[in-house]
């Protein structure tokens, strides 16, 4: 592919290494967003029926905030980082020097089609890389818009938007990259990793899976319900870190269900289809997939279940006690269905989670210190969030990423800068005082001296 040779050529020229170039591109990206705000909201609405508030908070504003952080911090993060030098290496200095990786590929998913490609791109640009941006073809309006805008604002010799379906992506993955960041499903994550292995290209995989939500006896049930409803039903449940299902104690079951019902009415009204704030499913295939989960479990529905294929609308739906072997409890739901499972105790909840793949996010609602300690120490997840859902994303001090089946590597803030950099150790020795202790012949006194010096 000719354009990749061009990107490699640009990288080899050293142009992208300069701080001025990096900051210039970040400013150009900011300008691109600001001058096209309304068009961006329209594309997100066309793709997902996303309302302006959600588009602002989770996509447009999110990326602008990222850009502001990187504009402020890139100079500092790009500087060599001094580290200690052990006595054996004295006199000398040790530094870690971040260097860009080269030409990187960023592949995004359709559910946050702007944020999931531009947020990694901000980090990759700030780290001084050339970039191929591959938005998801399922969110076509946003993909087309990016393909149109990016070359108008950013350096076309260093950043290319590549659009296309599975066949086109398969071709793209045959090319050599210096890093691939992929956001999407586990199945395609494996395809990406297999392709990357051809050139030993390192990968960051931002995957998904089922993110559980535990509700303990000791919690503020009203706030708990509001936060679960918000985190589950934004973007019509199509959020990688949305609570996938709830584990609740017998005592808390009825109060929780009641509070969830009230919260749903409060947030989306009696008919969520009429709510301007409630989104739609991305396409027919996903609509069929999600509504298919309801087959055979109609008697378990507590709220919702209404669908409209033409509008790709699925009502916020609460399900109580589905079989654990049913598809809704076996697969990532990635839609507005929320199963509730009763567990006898917090021990049982922890076992339930540990019997399954490590989640991208784990939510716990509890005021009990022992329970919090137990869940923190005895479970593993990409992120553990106590007493809230989804909002941990806005803390750019956190590395965002999965563990085990939910992914590998991370980004956001400095973590993103480091993911798109090689952290190159540089040891700089002096010619002064060249102690003979390491040189042969290795006489007895040298071994003793070496052992002693190695302690410092
Ligand atoms: P998707 O279908 O948009 O695929 C993502 C990317 O992979 C696209 O660019 C697409 O072109 C490419 N692709 C798809 N099939 C391919 C194939 N066979 N070969 C090569 N490339 C291919 O998105 P998706 O996979 O439906 O995304 C949903 C999943 O992503 C969910 O599991 C969700 O949890 C996860 N997700 C994770 C995050 C995160 O940050 N960890 C964010 C969003 C979504």
């Amino acid at each position: 592919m000719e354009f990749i040779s061009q990107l490699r050529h640009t990288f080899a020229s050293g142009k992208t290494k300069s701080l001025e170039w990096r900051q210039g591109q970040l400013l150009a990206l900011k300008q691109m967003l600001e001058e096209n705000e309304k068009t961006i909201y329209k594309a997100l609405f066309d793709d997902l029926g996303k309302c302006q508030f959600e588009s602002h908070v989770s996509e447009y504003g999110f990326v602008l905030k990222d850009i502001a952080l990187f504009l402020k911090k890139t100079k500092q993060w790009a500087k060599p980082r001094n580290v200690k030098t052990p006595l054996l290496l004295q006199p000398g200095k040790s530094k870690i020097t971040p260097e860009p990786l080269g030409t990187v590929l960023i592949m995004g998913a359709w559910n946050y089609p702007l944020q999931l490609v531009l947020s990694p791109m901000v980090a990759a640009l700030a780290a001084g890389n050339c970039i191929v941006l591959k938005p998801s073809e399922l969110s076509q309006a946003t993909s087309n818009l990016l393909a149109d805008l990016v070359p108008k604002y950013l350096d076309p010799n260093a950043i290319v938007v590549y659009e296309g379906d599975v066949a086109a992506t398969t071709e793209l993955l045959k090319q050599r990259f210096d890093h691939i960041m992929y956001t999407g499903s586990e199945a395609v994550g494996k395809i990406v990793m297999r392709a990357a292995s051809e050139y030993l290209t390192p990968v960051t995989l931002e995957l998904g899976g089922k993110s559980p939500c535990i509700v303990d006896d000791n919690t503020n049930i009203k706030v708990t319900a509001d936060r679960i409803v918000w985190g589950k039903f934004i973007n019509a449940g199509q959020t990688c870190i949305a609570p996938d299902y709830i584990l609740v104690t017998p005592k808390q079951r009825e109060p929780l269900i009641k509070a969830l019902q009230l919260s749903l009415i409060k947030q989306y009204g009696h008919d969520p289809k009429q709510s301007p704030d409630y989104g739609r499913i991305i396409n027919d295939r996903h609509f069929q997939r999600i509504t298919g989960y309801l087959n055979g479990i109609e008697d378990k529905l507590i709220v919702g279940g209404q669908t409209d294929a033409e509008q790709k609308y699925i009502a916020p739906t609460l399900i109580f006690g589905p079989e654990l072997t049913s598809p809704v409890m076996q697969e990532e739901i990635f839609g507005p269905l929320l199963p509730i499972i009763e567990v006898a105790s917090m021990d049982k909840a922890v076992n339930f989670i540990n019997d399954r793949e490590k989640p991208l996010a784990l939510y716990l609602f509890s005021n009990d210190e022992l329970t919090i300690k137990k869940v923190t120490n005895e479970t593993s997840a990409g992120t553990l969030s106590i007493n809230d859902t989804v909002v941990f994303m806005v803390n750019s001090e956190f590395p965002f990423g999965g563990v085990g089946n939910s992914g590998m590597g991370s980004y956001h803030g400095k973590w993103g800068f480091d993911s798109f950099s090689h952290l190159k150790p540089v040891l700089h020795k002096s010619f002064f005082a060249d102690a003979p202790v390491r040189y042969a012949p290795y006489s007895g006194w040298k071994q003793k001296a070496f052992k002693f010096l190695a302690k410092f």
Side-chain angles (χ1 to χ4, degrees):
M1 288 184 181
E2 191 51 40
F3 69 92
I4 296 184
S5 311
Q6 171 60 49
L7 295 179
R8 291 198 167 280
H9 183 72
T10 304
F11 185 74
S13 75
K15 178 188 190 183
T16 65
K17 286 188 179 173
S18 95
L19 262 183
E20 291 69 35
W21 183 88
R22 302 185 203 189
Q23 283 172 335
Q25 294 303 299
L26 290 175
L27 286 168
L29 185 61
K30 180 169 181 272
Q31 190 186 355
M32 179 188 108
L33 292 172
E34 286 171 348
E35 287 181 3
N36 297 280
E37 183 176 358
K38 292 275 174 298
T39 328
I40 289 168
Y41 292 151
K42 175 160 183 338
L44 293 169
F45 183 81
D46 288 349
D47 282 331
L48 288 145
K50 219 176 256 202
C51 66
Q52 192 167 316
F53 181 85
E54 281 185 17
S55 291
H56 181 89
V57 170
S58 63
E59 306 241 30
Y60 177 86
F62 189 97
V63 179
L64 273 183
K65 201 166 157 272
D66 249 11
I67 296 173
L69 176 74
F70 277 84
L71 279 170
K72 196 167 149 206
K73 294 285 190 177
T74 296
K75 193 171 170 194
Q76 180 193 334
W77 292 340
K79 267 190 195 150
R81 305 167 193 177
N82 289 326
V83 290
K84 279 188 188 160
T85 306
L87 188 61
L88 271 174
L89 300 183
Q90 298 288 358
K93 284 190 184 134
S94 304
K95 290 179 197 276
I96 294 171
T97 305
E99 60 181 24
L101 296 170
T103 297
V104 302
L105 168 63
I106 295 169
M107 294 173 66
W110 49 265
N111 57 333
Y112 290 86
L114 188 86
Q115 187 233 109
L116 292 176
V117 285
L118 292 192
S119 182
M121 185 166 96
V122 168
L125 274 178
N129 295 281
C130 289
I131 299 165
V132 177
L133 208 65
K134 167 63 185 72
S136 173
E137 69 278 17
L138 302 193
S139 39
Q140 205 183 354
T142 312
S143 176
N144 292 347
L145 184 63
L146 287 170
D148 178 40
L149 293 180
V150 168
K152 289 183 185 153
Y153 287 84
L154 301 181
D155 183 344
N157 293 319
I159 299 126
V160 169
V161 178
Y162 179 95
E163 291 192 276
D165 58 7
V166 172
T169 316
T170 306
E171 279 310 302
L172 182 67
L173 284 169
K174 288 182 187 157
Q175 312 306 310
R176 181 173 191 161
F177 293 98
D178 300 299
H179 191 93
I180 301 177
M181 175 173 281
Y182 167 80
T183 301
S185 65
E186 182 192 319
V188 179
K190 288 179 185 170
I191 295 174
V192 170
M193 201 166 169
R194 231 174 270 135
S197 73
E198 191 58 37
Y199 297 107
L200 295 177
T201 300
V203 290
T204 303
L205 299 180
E206 297 284 340
L207 309 179
K210 291 178 92 62
S211 292
C213 178
I214 307 172
V215 180
D216 186 22
D217 286 344
N218 182 351
T219 171
N220 178 329
I221 202 66
K222 185 186 157 296
V223 178
T224 297
D226 283 345
R227 291 177 180 177
I228 293 175
V229 164
W230 180 77
K232 175 68 187 184
F233 297 107
I234 47 168
N235 205 22
Q238 301 162 110
T239 302
C240 57
I241 48 171
D244 188 274
Y245 60 87
I246 296 175
L247 299 176
V248 65
T249 54
K251 187 175 151 201
Q252 197 65 289
R253 186 185 98 185
E254 280 311 316
L256 176 70
I257 289 175
K258 210 166 155 212
L260 289 171
Q261 284 173 314
L262 286 173
S263 184
L264 272 171
I265 294 169
K266 196 170 61 183
Q267 296 190 48
Y268 297 111
H270 285 279
D271 181 7
K273 198 174 172 183
Q274 308 305 328
S275 165
D277 301 324
Y278 188 68
R280 297 295 184 264
I281 303 305
I282 182 77
N283 60 18
D284 290 333
R285 181 167 64 84
H286 280 282
F287 177 84
Q288 297 301 340
R289 178 184 64 78
I290 300 163
T291 50
Y293 291 140
L294 298 174
N295 293 339
I297 60 165
E298 292 82 358
D299 58 325
K300 313 275 187 197
L301 301 192
I302 316 170
V303 173
Q306 301 84 359
T307 64
D308 177 343
E310 202 168 305
Q311 280 198 25
K312 296 189 283 287
Y313 165 81
I314 302 176
T317 300
L318 304 180
I319 304 164
F320 181 73
E323 295 294 332
L324 299 184
T325 50
S326 60
V328 80
M329 283 310 295
Q330 291 288 317
E331 295 163 23
E332 178 183 1
I333 298 170
F334 216 52
L337 316 181
L338 182 55
I340 301 164
I341 310 283
E342 193 176 289
V343 283
S345 63
M346 285 299 109
D347 279 332
K348 294 273 192 241
V350 165
N351 291 344
F352 193 100
I353 285 153
N354 289 342
D355 283 346
R356 288 161 177 78
E357 297 292 354
K358 292 180 182 176
L360 184 58
L362 172 59
Y363 300 110
L364 168 66
F365 285 87
S366 178
N367 269 326
D368 181 71
E369 282 308 319
L370 283 178
T371 301
I372 292 172
K373 212 166 166 182
K374 180 179 184 60
V375 173
T376 308
N377 293 339
E378 296 179 20
T379 62
S380 177
T383 299
L384 169 64
S385 169
I386 298 157
N387 296 337
D388 211 335
T389 63
V390 174
V391 288
F392 67 84
M393 286 279 288
V394 304
N395 188 348
S396 56
E397 296 289 319
F398 282 153
F400 176 69
V403 55
N405 255 50
S406 52
M408 61 183 71
S410 61
Y411 71 120
H412 287 183
K414 184 162 177 283
W415 305 94
F417 183 91
D418 287 355
S419 284
F420 285 107
S421 302
H422 169 56
L423 300 180
K424 182 169 73 181
V426 178
L427 172 68
H428 187 160
K429 287 281 305 269
S430 159
F431 285 114
F432 176 70
D434 191 33
V437 59
R438 68 169 141 162
Y439 298 128
Y442 303 125
S443 52
W445 75 267
K446 286 185 181 175
Q447 288 188 22
K448 276 187 199 146
F450 190 89
K451 275 186 189 162
F452 176 74
L453 290 172
K455 289 179 187 164
F456 303 96

